Amino acid sequence: MTWRRIVSAAALALSGFAACAAAPAPPTVDLKILAINDFHGHLKPPPGGFRTADASSPSRTIALPAGGAEYMATAVKALRSSSPNVVMVAAGDLVGASPLLSALFHDEPTIQSMDLMGLDLAAVGNHEFDEGAAELLRLQRGGCHPKDGCKGPEPFTGARFQYLAASTIDTASGKTLLPPYAIKRFGGVPVGFIGLTLKATPRIVAPAGVAGLAFKDEAETINALVPELKRQGVATVVVLIHEGGEPTGGHDECPGISGPIVDIVHKLDPAVGVVVSGHTHQAYVCRIDGRLVTSAHRFGTLLTEIDLRLDARSGALLASQATNHIVRHDRYARDAAQTGLIARYEKLSAPLAQRVVGRLSQAYTAAPDEAGESMLGRLVADAQLAATAAADRGGARIALTNPGGLRAPLQPGPGGVVRYEDVFASQPFSNELVTLTLTGAELKTLLERQFGENVPSEPRLLQVSRGFSYAWDARRARGDRVVPGSLKLEGRPIAPGESLRITVNSYLAGGGDGHRGFTEGRDSLVGEKDVDALARYVNAGPAPVDAPRITRVSP
């Protein structure tokens, strides 16, 4: 194996000798880390696989069938067999925003799948809090769901792997919700693993999901734990963090990486030698300040192999390297244990998953246009308006939905058939629809906050229903980017004092994604689940969604 040395051996001068002799190499211990991130309950391979450069034409990309628990388990076994010291880790979002096969059972199948693979440690991600802290603890400890009971084919005993949550504080006790770190020994050498999620978790999770919790700064949390680990003999620290970056190269490269992970790594104690990251659904292998920083895309399409060489006496990190392996279906066979697990849950979920809800003549993607709209966003907003327009269902005139809730294209099958599992893949959170009243002025203020100080230059805009429209201008000052007079309903201007019945999902109604303005809504009426509204709308035959509702008047 070829190693990229982090440190070089120094010559040893021995007094009293006529010639210098080379010092013997210190004994070393090799450690292999297998890492994943952002699995999101994808027990079955994700549509589209993994896109990579075409070997025959590097300027083009091709989609390789990849991912899925059956194939990943085989890849893990193959890499385990090559080393006596192996640990498998994850950098958050193992669960949440999952396909129906996992979500229907509150992600218990995914926890069991990870146990079958031999996962050892996992950082919590923001989606681990989708159903709140109590549900996360249930996934760790086991037991039946408090509302839906025991629905799986066997008792759920909880994760055998350990979740780590170094920066998540239970405000009532002042302690971390879950252990902040774990120490594992390999060939007698202790290695510390710190796990944590991004400090912005409260801004991207429904407020109810993080009630009673505080999220501390990532770098400060890690650095504060290093002395404690050192007192226990740890010289090398591996960080599992649900935060990431945006690179520009291939899945084993790292040119021009940017994003929060870069700033975090720059601040870390020198004892931190490896950072396994996630959240941004990107693939990269980087060197930042001499540290190895990795990410394995999403949905189990990649598996990161990290090789470390440690000084057997001091525990210091001597060398490190990493490779992102594509979990290709033509390279790895299906694992029988995973196949059996999936089959047991498919048998239970099939009546709902395979139910035909309608037909579509085209696919609806969540890719935004230059104004910030997507075809799927328009379709979902229209479905929510249709579900709540009647007076006894809310009397809605406008519907808005968050782009983060649109998780996969709505892709019809053969003959245009759409099944319930297809609409669930597009909207997997099962939020309830909430119709509330805002004034025209309150709506404009809420829309302006999409362009606030803490958003990217290309904001992720709320998707809007037919009949409602507005324009925004990137050249205007923040707080005044909605073009005056452009807010219209059925072609007429909306007056500032006009009362509007508006439908959103319960995530937004609770202030999710920082949209606190919805919490000021009045006369709220709770309706059906968003996924069911979409299924019914598809069944009725949706109207075309190609007409834009949002206009961007400048580059």
Side-chain angles (χ1 to χ4, degrees):
M1 182 178 293
T2 300
W3 293 90
R4 295 190 291 269
R5 288 288 181 180
I6 299 174
V7 294
S8 61
L12 177 63
L14 300 176
S15 59
F17 284 82
C20 293
T28 60
V29 171
D30 290 344
L31 168 62
K32 187 181 297 294
I33 302 173
L34 304 179
I36 61 172
N37 54 272
D38 297 276
F39 188 73
H40 288 290
H42 276 71
L43 298 169
K44 299 174 72 174
F50 180 76
R51 296 202 70 86
T52 187
D54 185 348
S56 62
S57 179
S59 62
R60 297 174 55 246
T61 62
I62 56 173
L64 297 174
E70 296 164 288
Y71 301 94
M72 177 179 283
T74 301
V76 169
K77 285 181 179 177
L79 292 173
R80 278 188 188 279
S81 66
S82 65
S83 175
N85 299 311
V86 182
V87 60
M88 184 178 178
V89 302
D93 280 7
L94 287 173
V95 300
S98 306
L100 185 65
L101 180 62
S102 185
L104 185 62
F105 304 95
H106 297 280
D107 282 312
E108 292 172 13
T110 294
I111 300 299
Q112 292 173 310
S113 173
M114 292 297 113
D115 281 340
L116 286 175
M117 282 187 214
L119 182 67
D120 294 288
L121 301 168
V124 293
N126 55 285
H127 280 286
E128 262 80 18
F129 296 98
D130 281 350
E131 294 190 44
E135 174 63 3
L136 171 57
L137 293 177
R138 186 187 74 86
L139 291 179
Q140 179 73 81
R141 300 167 181 170
C144 298
H145 189 272
K147 180 180 178 182
D148 294 337
C150 298
K151 297 172 63 176
E154 59 260 340
F156 179 64
T157 57
R160 293 198 295 269
F161 63 88
Q162 179 62 60
Y163 267 118
L164 303 176
S167 61
T168 304
I169 306 301
D170 179 344
T171 55
S173 67
K175 299 179 180 179
T176 57
L177 180 68
L178 287 155
Y181 63 82
I183 298 174
K184 289 188 171 293
R185 291 183 175 273
F186 307 95
V189 176
V191 177
F193 295 83
I194 299 173
L196 69 167
T197 190
L198 69 163
K199 65 180 178 182
T201 292
R203 296 205 300 267
I204 54 177
V205 173
V210 292
L213 301 175
F215 293 80
K216 296 163 59 179
D217 180 85
E218 304 97 336
E220 291 177 3
T221 298
I222 295 165
N223 291 341
L225 289 170
V226 169
E228 184 175 337
L229 289 168
K230 286 183 175 179
R231 286 194 293 270
Q232 299 177 70
V234 171
T236 296
V237 176
V238 176
V239 167
L240 317 176
I241 182 170
H242 192 67
E243 181 60 288
E246 301 282 348
T248 57
H251 62 276
D252 258 342
E253 302 172 341
C254 189
I257 188 168
S258 61
I261 195 65
V262 178
D263 293 334
I264 292 169
V265 172
H266 282 322
K267 299 174 184 176
L268 295 181
D269 186 285
V272 177
V274 179
V275 177
V276 179
S277 66
H279 186 56
T280 55
H281 291 195
Q282 299 296 309
Y284 47 80
V285 174
C286 303
R287 290 280 175 185
I288 302 176
D289 284 353
R291 309 172 211 269
L292 193 60
V293 182
T294 69
S295 180
H297 198 236
R298 62 183 178 183
F299 306 159
T301 55
L302 296 184
L303 175 63
T304 308
E305 178 187 18
I306 303 169
D307 288 301
L308 307 183
R309 179 155 291 166
L310 308 171
D311 185 306
R313 296 192 184 97
S314 68
L317 178 62
L318 301 176
S320 63
Q321 63 181 23
T323 301
N324 271 331
H325 297 280
I326 303 174
V327 183
R328 298 175 56 152
H329 296 173
D330 62 355
R331 185 166 297 169
Y332 301 104
R334 288 185 172 95
D335 176 77
Q338 296 285 342
T339 300
L341 175 73
I342 290 170
R344 293 194 295 277
Y345 278 101
E346 281 188 320
K347 182 178 180 180
L348 294 175
S349 66
L352 177 60
Q354 296 299 311
R355 177 167 63 85
V356 174
V357 300
R359 283 176 168 77
L360 292 173
S361 60
Q362 65 180 103
Y364 291 78
T365 73
D369 59 23
E370 64 176 11
E373 283 191 280
S374 72
M375 291 183 64
L376 182 59
R378 293 171 188 158
L379 181 73
V380 169
D382 288 350
Q384 295 180 1
L385 179 63
T388 56
D392 62 341
R393 291 178 176 267
R397 306 291 304 283
I398 297 170
L400 306 171
T401 195
N402 55 307
L406 311 176
R407 305 300 292 193
L410 183 52
Q411 179 75 51
V417 170
V418 178
R419 302 182 187 277
Y420 189 82
E421 65 181 351
D422 299 322
V423 294
F424 192 92
S426 295
Q427 286 216 284
F429 294 103
S430 294
N431 287 309
E432 295 171 316
L433 298 182
V434 180
T435 305
L436 45 82
T437 298
L438 294 173
T439 66
E442 289 171 329
L443 175 59
K444 181 179 183 299
T445 297
L446 191 147
L447 294 175
E448 290 287 7
R449 288 175 178 165
Q450 298 178 115
F451 311 101
E453 293 297 332
N454 296 318
V455 297
S457 57
E458 295 295 327
R460 301 172 72 209
L461 301 185
L462 294 170
Q463 305 295 287
V464 308
S465 58
R466 67 178 60 254
F468 173 64
S469 62
Y470 74 94
W472 64 280
D473 189 341
R475 297 169 298 187
R476 299 174 66 91
R478 293 188 188 274
D480 191 32
R481 290 196 170 172
V482 175
V483 176
S486 68
L487 261 69
K488 294 182 179 180
L489 184 58
E490 303 298 345
R492 63 168 182 81
I494 295 174
E498 181 178 352
S499 291
L500 301 165
R501 293 291 284 168
I502 299 174
T503 294
V504 296
N505 58 44
S506 52
Y507 172 71
L508 287 174
D513 279 355
H515 290 293
R516 300 292 178 184
F518 288 120
T519 64
E520 301 171 4
R522 297 165 292 282
D523 303 320
S524 296
L525 180 66
V526 178
E528 66 183 319
K529 291 184 177 180
D530 52 9
V531 63
D532 293 330
L534 180 58
R536 192 150 45 82
Y537 191 64
V538 170
N539 180 263
V545 298
D546 51 353
R549 295 100 189 257
I550 303 173
T551 302
R552 182 173 181 171
V553 299
S554 67

